[in-house]
Amino acid sequence: MYDLITFGRCGVDVYPLQTGVGLADVETFGKFLGGSPTNVAVAAARHGLRSAVITAVGADPFGEYVRRAIRGFGVDDVFVSTIEGPATPVTFCEIFPPDHFPIYFYRGEHPPDLRITPSMLDLRAIAETGLFWFSLTGLSREPSAAAHHAALEARTGGWTVFDLDYREALWESREAARQAARRALPHATVAVGNLDEVETAVGVRDPEAAAQAMLDAGVRVAIVKMGPDGVFARTADDERARVEPMEVKVVNGIGAGDAFGGALCLGLLRGWPLERTLRFANAAGAFVAARLACADAMPTTSEVEDLLNGVAS
Amino acid sequence: MYDLITFGRCGVDVYPLQTGVGLADVETFGKFLGGSPTNVAVAAARHGLRSAVITAVGADPFGEYVRRAIRGFGVDDVFVSTIEGPATPVTFCEIFPPDHFPIYFYRGEHPPDLRITPSMLDLRAIAETGLFWFSLTGLSREPSAAAHHAALEARTGGWTVFDLDYREALWESREAARQAARRALPHATVAVGNLDEVETAVGVRDPEAAAQAMLDAGVRVAIVKMGPDGVFARTADDERARVEPMEVKVVNGIGAGDAFGGALCLGLLRGWPLERTLRFANAAGAFVAARLACADAMPTTSEVEDLLNGVAS
């Protein structure tokens, strides 16, 4: 039995080894484990949680790398399928600190992780896990969307976290993404997204109103990441919390959201108070934002606590 | 007016900086100009030929890089279009010297260079150039195939070289590739391919018989690259030539074919005897095979002559 299972995309992040220059001028690249739900599982594993990810790779060397990297980070790969045909996706980015990190997906129309069918799922494991994490991108294509809803139907308790992760390039339209979000929200207990993502999901950008709309849709906890304005959350019991952003020198903002996610899983599973959870998750995100790497930079619990306590790392 | 114009794909080759290991173990990558017809134009420009390439890139930083690299190698980019929507293609490879160089295309279903329409062509420039080079891959999708045939119809003299370049991953079936090759062969004066490619085009693998089939289809010169057995050619005047492979320590075989192509253009345009052309092109290929880079390693005429004369480079 797992503390948490995430469901969604994976791939290889081929990231520049030079920062502050565009792809036209980058000279060398490194390769890293990528895909938000996959890296959330990695981030959670760093906190000592028993984690697994439901995803799929292509039958190619990059697929082998992804599977090996997942295992290397201490995440169980038993639910990682290998699918013949489509290539394991690749993602490039540009790193312009402190706040511009454009992403370039090479995922094709039907990447392996969107070909997961309901029959490929271990619904018992999904039902039993303490926390189930899924993202909006997984709802962008069939049969993946049907598989997500089969998983959601199997959930009868525990936390079900909906990462509103909206990537414009992966959808036909924002309206299609909104419809998919609205259909899935009633099955989640937690929803989390940045301002753009909550606007995509519920049509309003104001944090209070967006959180209210997510609660109205059925979640128990609504979390809005407001960038330079910090993080805001509301619960169905009308509890509110807001934390300020941490002052760190941002090197690469990519991956901060996944670090936040893994830390959020820890707070939810431990039953921490809302504000403590937010502060901890916020610090975990800042920890990764201050480093070039993503999956490789995910902090342990004590590293996050040191950062919160002002201990130099 | 150009000595030659090539037509076909382009992209970014993201190649490992470590050789002899699979992609799962590669740690760092470099980026290079890619796409066979593009690199043939680069190879030809290194021999002092006025070259241009008809291709298209995406409206993204990699597209900017491709255009800049084309210009940087002295090839005119006036016929390079920028197309909104699809990403500039990316290609990975594995480098297992001396003879295993698998390629992994990330081109999507409809990359920019296969969206070139007949109306985008400068048919006058295509008619006037001394040599027009195209490849089989350009016939794999519409509207690119229609554009290729519009270009071929415009040709009334000079050399028209058909590179039988067959990439299995880019076709629905080998039979579809064969039909496309058969339709285009009567419009070419030269056809060139390796054993697998000539078999795809004309259905026979034996070099003599394959050359005969290509001559029967209407070309004046048929060239078969036989790997370890060298290169064989026959002409419509029943001239024959065969050259042995050069003894070089192969570092990366990718790009050798494009170096061969650029050198072949020089021999054809200079009116060299068949055997001299083959020997020269063969040495140009060997020159690049002995180096990690492709576009960046294309030899000048004197570098090829030095290699032929046994002068250490």
Side-chain angles (χ1 to χ4, degrees), chain A residues 14 17 22-31 60-62 64-65 68 87-90 92 94 104-109, chain B residues 14 17 22-31 60-62 64-65 68 87-90 92 94 104-109:
Chain A
V14 181
L17 298 179
L23 278 181
D25 294 303
V26 168
E27 292 183 350
T28 53
F29 300 85
K31 83 180 194 306
D60 50 34
F62 273 152
E64 184 194 330
Y65 162 71
R68 202 194 288 173
T88 303
V90 165
F92 292 87
E94 294 180 306
Y104 304 91
F105 291 109
Y106 285 79
R107 285 176 53 78
E109 278 298 294
Chain B
V14 181
L17 297 178
L23 278 180
D25 293 303
V26 167
E27 292 183 352
T28 54
F29 300 85
K31 83 180 194 308
D60 50 34
F62 273 151
E64 184 194 330
Y65 162 71
R68 201 195 288 173
T88 302
V90 165
F92 291 88
E94 293 179 309
Y104 304 91
F105 291 109
Y106 285 79
R107 286 176 53 80
E109 278 299 294

Side-chain angles (χ1 to χ4, degrees), chain B residues 289-304:
Chain B
R291 284 158 179 78
L292 186 62
C294 301
D296 299 80
M298 295 297 175
T300 62
T301 306
S302 63
E303 284 175 326
V304 178

Side-chain angles (χ1 to χ4, degrees), chain B residues 210-236:
Chain B
Q212 183 64 57
M214 292 191 278
L215 295 171
D216 290 346
V219 306
R220 305 281 308 160
V221 183
I223 303 172
V224 183
K225 296 189 270 191
M226 305 179 295
D229 292 327
V231 184
F232 171 73
R234 274 184 66 182
T235 72

Side-chain angles (χ1 to χ4, degrees), chain A residues 106-150:
Chain A
Y106 285 79
R107 285 176 53 78
E109 278 298 294
H110 295 281
D113 53 47
L114 292 178
R115 297 191 188 210
I116 293 172
T117 63
S119 68
M120 291 163 71
L121 300 178
D122 181 341
L123 292 177
R124 181 169 201 162
I126 291 168
E128 287 178 350
T129 186
L131 189 150
F132 178 73
W133 177 287
F134 70 105
S135 84
L136 186 57
T137 305
L139 305 172
S140 65
R141 290 280 185 291
E142 294 295 357
S144 173
H148 276 69
H149 279 281

